Amino acid sequence: MKTIPTLRHDVSLRELNTFGIDARAHAFVSVKNIDDLEAIAADPQLSVLPRLILGGGSNVLLTKDFNGLVLHMVNKGCEIIGDDAGHTIVRAKAGENWHALVQWTLAQGLPGLENLSLIPGTVGAAPIQNIGAYGSEVAEFFHSLTLYDFLTGETRVLSREECHFGYRDSIFKHALRDRAVIIDVSFALPREWQPNLRYAELVTELGTRGVSNPTALDIADVVIAIRRRKLPDPAVIGNAGSFFKNPLVSRDQHALLVARYPQLVSYPQADGSVKLAAGWLIDQCGWKGRSIGAAGVHDRQALVLVNRGGAAGSDVLALATKIVNDVRARFDVSLETEPVIV
Ligand SMILES: Cc1cc2nc3c(=O)[nH]c(=O)nc-3n(C[C@H](O)[C@H](O)[C@H](O)COP(=O)(O)OP(=O)(O)OC[C@H]3O[C@@H](n4cnc5c(N)ncnc54)[C@H](O)[C@@H]3O)c2cc1C
């Protein structure tokens, strides 16, 4: 049986989740390669434990100690691996920092990912919820990924179709949750690049800077500036970004809501449904800036729940439940959480 040199027991996860929740892991391994995963699968004690795969911990809420094995992804590196029709293919290891990958592609003269600048976390987690921001989402640039499947003991490659990407969703939140470990992800970056200026705030900010023909680097700079202005830094106050997804409602329900609330913030979707701004709904229920104990709603972003210091994950979850109940009672709309609740 292979040894696993990085195996530790009773490990604090406080520094490994951006909420800064002080939960502990029964067992913990830093994963550098497939050999580590095969060694875990072959170990009679470790292979039967519940698993939690952890990248940067920026999209999890730890509500209790984890009585299982945490697999912390630490494999790093990015490389250009080839071309296909009109695209350059770039591959990055799962433990690589997402923003570092975006910056690296731009430095190579490979635009595409700039609208997704500064999203916290790792490359391996990006497909899990199909990360998105400022009019773009990772599925647009996704080529394929390599995963290790603990159920079958196989390493295999998944195409975009096989990942079932949706709005903040993929197969990894469902059938493959905690079973498939993403080892690396490949991206197809277009050689004929067009700026993505669908998001009005980007256009406004570029205008303020006097930029009329933006390069990908200009867009990255603007995205970074807006994000720094709008989102709380987890190094200062614990959070996991947006805590709720923007809910989708039917056109009929939207019409009823607009009749009662003319200020309703909403975005029509291509499939006829309408996306509502969850932050607006929460704000209308009076939650912005409020706290219950050390768990709070951010003062400027009602969509962001924060740990004001010493909150337990269960405190944050209790606050989230109250918000969900209030929004349902007032608007008859169900909010879904974005981070993975553990
Ligand atoms: C301030 C802030 C702003 C944010 N802004 C955005 C935003 O604009 N858009 C957006 O989409 N998200 C945003 N997020 C959420 C978060 O950054 C993303 O979801 C990110 O992809 C999570 O990466 P991570 O490595 O931290 O994942 P983790 O939190 O470690 O894990 C998240 C989930 O992915 C699974 N996972 C992680 N790595 C792997 C792997 N290698 N294989 C299999 N499963 C894995 C975990 O088990 C867990 O279920 C924000 C978060 C913060 C704190």
Side-chain angles (χ1 to χ4, degrees):
M1 200 167 64
K2 289 181 201 163
T3 56
I4 306 163
T6 59
L7 175 64
R8 291 187 286 145
H9 285 95
D10 191 26
V11 173
S12 168
L13 300 174
R14 188 147 68 103
E15 301 295 324
L16 296 175
N17 72 99
T18 58
F19 257 119
I21 302 290
D22 197 8
R24 302 188 80 80
H26 165 67
F28 183 98
V29 171
S30 300
V31 176
K32 291 197 210 68
N33 49 42
I34 296 176
D35 286 354
D36 289 339
L37 299 171
E38 287 176 344
I40 291 165
D43 184 302
Q45 262 129 44
L46 295 181
S47 60
V48 294
L49 291 176
R51 280 179 292 273
L52 169 62
I53 307 155
L54 207 54
S58 63
N59 210 28
V60 288
L61 177 64
L62 303 169
T63 58
K64 49 185 178 301
D65 289 341
F66 186 66
N67 196 17
L69 172 66
V70 169
L71 304 164
H72 184 217
M73 304 306 294
V74 296
N75 55 339
K76 292 192 195 304
C78 332
E79 57 182 335
I80 296 171
I81 58 165
D83 296 293
D84 77 7
H87 296 88
T88 302
I89 313 297
V90 164
R91 182 166 62 203
K93 302 250 174 73
E96 185 59 72
N97 176 269
W98 172 261
H99 182 62
L101 166 69
V102 176
Q103 297 267 288
W104 180 84
T105 55
L106 295 175
Q108 306 299 308
L110 300 172
L113 300 178
E114 55 282 350
N115 292 51
L116 302 175
S117 294
L118 214 63
I119 297 180
T122 56
V123 168
I128 307 290
Q129 71 153 358
N130 180 20
I131 55 168
Y134 297 95
S136 181
E137 55 182 27
V138 85
E140 290 171 53
F141 304 98
F142 181 89
H143 179 268
S144 57
L145 58 76
T146 314
L147 63 79
Y148 177 80
D149 187 340
F150 269 103
L151 198 67
T152 61
E154 283 170 354
T155 300
R156 56 194 166 106
V157 173
L158 250 55
S159 66
R160 185 201 319 235
E161 291 66 35
E162 289 171 307
C163 290
H164 299 175
F165 290 122
Y167 165 60
R168 300 296 172 271
D169 202 24
S170 73
I171 192 166
F172 302 100
K173 284 196 155 187
H174 306 281
L176 294 182
R177 183 174 168 174
D178 300 331
R179 160 182 161 185
V181 181
I182 296 173
I183 296 162
D184 58 53
V185 186
S186 297
F187 303 90
L189 303 176
R191 274 195 291 277
E192 295 289 316
W193 175 78
Q194 292 289 328
N196 172 351
L197 299 174
R198 286 193 282 268
Y199 203 85
E201 208 175 342
L202 293 185
V203 180
T204 311
E205 180 82 17
L206 286 163
T208 313
R209 295 175 177 214
V211 180
S212 50
N213 274 319
T215 63
L217 283 171
D218 290 328
I219 295 176
D221 281 353
V222 161
V223 168
I224 291 169
I226 298 174
R227 291 186 69 98
R228 288 213 169 111
R229 215 162 49 218
K230 284 177 63 169
L231 286 168
D233 179 356
V236 178
I237 186 161
N239 75 90
S242 303
F243 198 87
F244 301 100
K245 295 184 194 179
N246 288 321
L248 290 165
V249 298
S250 67
R251 205 178 301 176
D252 290 350
Q253 188 178 1
H254 176 251
L256 287 172
L257 283 167
V258 170
R260 279 188 71 186
Y261 305 99
Q263 312 297 326
L264 185 78
V265 180
S266 58
Y267 314 94
Q269 302 296 294
D271 65 2
S273 65
V274 183
K275 196 185 270 183
L276 307 181
W280 187 87
L281 302 173
I282 296 166
D283 197 5
Q284 293 302 302
C285 293
W287 276 106
K288 196 191 270 180
R290 278 176 61 192
S291 298
I292 299 183
V297 181
H298 191 255
D299 312 346
R300 279 173 288 128
Q301 286 291 335
L303 205 47
V304 178
L305 302 193
V306 294
N307 175 2
R308 298 202 191 278
S314 52
D315 298 334
V316 178
L317 192 59
L319 171 65
T321 306
K322 283 187 189 300
I323 293 172
V324 168
N325 290 343
D326 277 7
V327 168
R328 191 181 292 119
R330 176 136 181 210
F331 298 103
D332 192 24
V333 169
S334 295
L335 291 183
E336 272 180 53
T337 56
E338 194 180 292
V340 177
I341 312 292
V342 180

